[in-house]
Amino acid sequence: SICPITPTNLTDVSRKRQPIIISCESVTPELSHFPSVRIDNMSASMEATSYLIGLGHKSIAFIYGTHTSTLTQDREHGYQCAMKAANLPIAEGWVLEGALTIYGARTATRKLLNHPERPTAIFCANDEMAMGALYEIKLAKLRIPEDISVLGFDDIRYAEILDPPLTTIAQPTEEIGQRTMQRLISAIEGQDIGVEAEIVPHKLLIRSSTGPAP
């Protein structure tokens, strides 16, 4: 299917001053110019990576979504900043694209498991990719988290019932929805809501998919 949101019609909307608030994520550069309500993806990713480092992991891989997604770019940047702050190297081949899908993450995870410097932890830029990583690791007869820890992002509704339950970053979706609607109503009423992002707090949910480095 063709995405209805294009640079051309976004420009038309902006010219007509129709109120648009981005709820949760600005996934393209065009959308990032509109006001939004979201978490700080970079900060959340830094916290998640630092948590793995605190467990003793020094070999941490990252599976991102796509190069064109501003969302996963921020999450990748947070991972890189946390690794740099801890003076930990990122080996070539440890940062791989997962296309934001289970299949994409399975392909990326197989490459990581066959890497000459196999990581002890894999941080995925969303929970769907983390699901693919979990599946591929178990297929290789490795234990989670004893052999490899897996960490996701978003806390989708399946995260808590996966095997093992997934450590992840939770977004306050209800609060994001409420604040987005409040801001939209203000815009409809003619108030100047600005163009900056309104940042809401995230939360690191620690479950059984992560543990001390082997």
Side-chain angles (χ1 to χ4, degrees), residues 5 10 20 22 25-36 38 70-71 73-74 195-197:
I5 301 176
L10 282 175
I20 289 182
I22 305 301
E25 310 296 356
S26 300
V27 294
T28 66
E30 292 80 19
L31 291 175
S32 65
H33 297 300
F34 288 89
S36 62
R38 60 176 177 81
T70 56
L71 160 65
Q73 286 171 5
D74 287 345
V195 295
E196 70 282 354

Side-chain angles (χ1 to χ4, degrees), residues 178-190:
Q178 290 174 345
R179 294 196 180 193
T180 299
M181 196 61 195
Q182 290 168 358
R183 202 167 178 186
L184 180 60
I185 291 171
S186 295
I188 292 172
E189 292 176 345

Side-chain angles (χ1 to χ4, degrees), residues 115-127:
H115 195 284
E117 299 179 68
R118 191 179 78 193
T120 62
I122 300 175
F123 179 15
C124 299
N126 76 354
D127 286 348

Side-chain angles (χ1 to χ4, degrees), residues 115-147:
H115 195 284
E117 299 179 68
R118 191 179 78 193
T120 62
I122 300 175
F123 179 15
C124 299
N126 76 354
D127 286 348
E128 186 169 342
M129 292 193 296
M131 291 169 65
L134 290 175
Y135 181 87
E136 203 63 36
I137 291 167
K138 287 189 285 187
L139 202 63
K141 307 300 182 185
L142 294 170
R143 300 167 301 165
I144 307 166
E146 291 84 358
D147 296 318

Side-chain angles (χ1 to χ4, degrees), residues 5-110:
I5 301 176
T6 66
T8 300
N9 59 33
L10 282 175
T11 300
D12 292 340
V13 167
S14 180
R15 188 181 299 117
K16 295 174 184 177
R17 300 187 181 278
Q18 295 179 5
I20 289 182
I21 314 295
I22 305 301
S23 180
C24 209
E25 310 296 356
S26 300
V27 294
T28 66
E30 292 80 19
L31 291 175
S32 65
H33 297 300
F34 288 89
S36 62
V37 180
R38 60 176 177 81
I39 66 168
D40 184 333
N41 284 285
M42 179 179 167
S43 175
S45 184
M46 288 182 66
E47 181 180 346
T49 306
S50 296
Y51 167 69
L52 291 172
I53 294 170
L55 289 174
H57 293 278
K58 297 180 180 180
S59 304
I60 304 171
F62 184 82
I63 301 179
Y64 63 89
T66 64
H67 281 302
T68 58
S69 170
T70 56
L71 160 65
T72 58
Q73 286 171 5
D74 287 345
R75 295 178 184 180
E76 181 182 346
H77 191 199
Y79 154 78
Q80 292 175 337
C81 286
M83 294 290 281
K84 183 178 181 180
N87 294 313
L88 293 176
I90 300 174
E92 184 177 353
W94 277 2
V95 179
L96 296 170
E97 180 176 349
L100 296 173
T101 66
I102 291 175
Y103 177 79
R106 288 187 61 188
T107 300
T109 301
R110 282 197 298 271

